[in-house]
Each structure stands twice: as C-alpha cells, then as structure tokens.
Amino acid sequence: MAEWRRADVMAALCAEAPRVAGVLLGLAEEEAVRPTRCAPWDVAALAVHMVGALHQVALMLDDVAPERALVEAAGYYTPDGQMSAQTDEERVASAVEAAARRSDAGEMGRVCEGVWRELEPRLAKEPSDRVVLTRHGDAMLLTDFLVTRVVELALHGLDLADALGRDAWMSPEARDVVARLLFENGDPGLPAMAAVRAATGRVLPGGAGPEALAGSGVRVLALGRRDGAGGG
C-alpha cells in the first residue's frame, strides 16, 4: 500500500472527531442505554470505548518513540492474537463500568471535546516520521496509527447511528480513508458507504452484503476481537 499522507488522515480526524462529540453531547438518557451491535456495549459504553481509543494517541505521544515502525495501518488488523481473551474481557467490562458511572448522558461528549481540543494542536507539531508504540506492542508510524483512529471513529460511528436510528454522519474524508484501507485502489463496485458497510459487517436490512464484493480485492480486516474497529 502507498504511504498515507498525514494531511489526508488529519482532515478525516478533524472532520470526524467533532461530529462524534456533537452527537454524544446531545444524547438523551433513553438513547444512552440503547443496545448496539457491539454487545454487551450499549450506546454509552460504546461512547466510552470510542473516546478512550482517541485518547490513546495522547498517551502514546507521552512515551518514548520506538526507533522504527514495524507495522503499517493494514497490518494492525491482522489476526495475530495480540489481545488475549482476558485483556479483551477486561477492556469490554471497563467500558461498561465507566458508562455506568457517568453523571449524565452527555458526559462522554464533553470528554470527547476536551480530548480532541488538546490532541489536535499537539498532532500538528509531530513530524511525519514520528513512531509510536501501541498498547498492543505495535511500533507504527504515527500517521498509520491515526488511520486506525479514523477507522475507530468512523465504523463505531455507524454503530452508534444505527443504534440511535439516525442517518450515518460519517464524513466524506473519513469514508475515503476507510475505503482506501479496505480496497486500496480497487473498485468495490458499490457506492463507498455501501461498500464499507458490506466489508465490515454493518449491512442494513436490504443492503448489499459481503457477497457483492466478490472479485473486488477487498482487504479482510481482523476486526472481530476489537469489536468491529480498532480496539485501543
């Protein structure tokens, strides 16, 4: 895969993060407890997971940078068992517990706003060759890891939208990043949003399923253990 341009990835994050924050800020309590396809997470717990995944970037920037990147964005999603069953269970449970402690339905929206407010200018100062170490032990270029954060917000944004009965709010910039990761330069033969849904198990009733992507060269990402997106 060709190298990712930091400007393109940042454009996607700058479009997506405020959209997610806005949705979370406006949640009613009835909406916060709706189930999602990422069981056992309800909307509130999924929101905790999403905001935490974004906050992981700041935590990694606080650490010493590895000497070189060993994993690229697509390689982050290989089924290599980086997350043990115990770690996965703890991660799922911690989001449920954090959501149960919320002060109100809009709390994670406020947290998301704060995380992004601090992170955006910090990212603007990082060099293009900055390497980070993920909590799964992956040494990655920061730009490649930011691709996974776009995937996280965009795909789980679909999960939230579907749970809330709303139209998808995924930005064109984020959609293009996710589609490129999935199809590189191939033609999925479907509209971009339909192709993303079909490739990631988010098909709506009456929508095109994975069979519609036969021959498209779609990259199958190991999303299952990380709840359909990038984990953490």
Side-chain angles (χ1 to χ4, degrees), residues 171-187:
S171 65
E173 296 88 349
R175 181 200 62 208
D176 289 349
V177 167
V178 177
R180 179 187 165 192
L181 183 66
L182 289 168
F183 301 101
E184 199 161 353
N185 297 318
D187 180 8

Side-chain angles (χ1 to χ4, degrees), residues 104-208:
D104 58 74
E107 179 178 311
M108 291 315 299
R110 297 190 296 275
V111 175
C112 188
E113 278 193 326
V115 167
W116 183 241
R117 187 183 304 115
E118 294 182 7
L119 184 59
E120 182 182 8
R122 191 173 181 184
L123 289 172
K125 299 176 183 177
E126 292 293 336
S128 60
D129 61 351
R130 175 66 152 95
V131 180
V132 295
L133 185 68
T134 77
R135 70 188 185 98
H136 304 302
D138 300 319
M140 302 178 67
L141 282 173
L142 172 61
T143 301
D144 279 48
F145 186 72
L146 293 179
V147 169
T148 72
R149 303 305 89 179
V150 174
V151 172
E152 188 78 27
L153 295 181
L155 294 188
H156 279 324
L158 289 180
D159 297 330
L160 285 181
D162 294 346
L164 295 170
R166 303 185 191 181
D167 292 336
W169 55 75
M170 188 188 299
S171 65
E173 296 88 349
R175 181 200 62 208
D176 289 349
V177 167
V178 177
R180 179 187 165 192
L181 183 66
L182 289 168
F183 301 101
E184 199 161 353
N185 297 318
D187 180 8
L190 293 172
M193 185 63 78
V196 167
R197 283 187 176 276
T200 63
R202 290 167 168 83
V203 180
L204 294 177

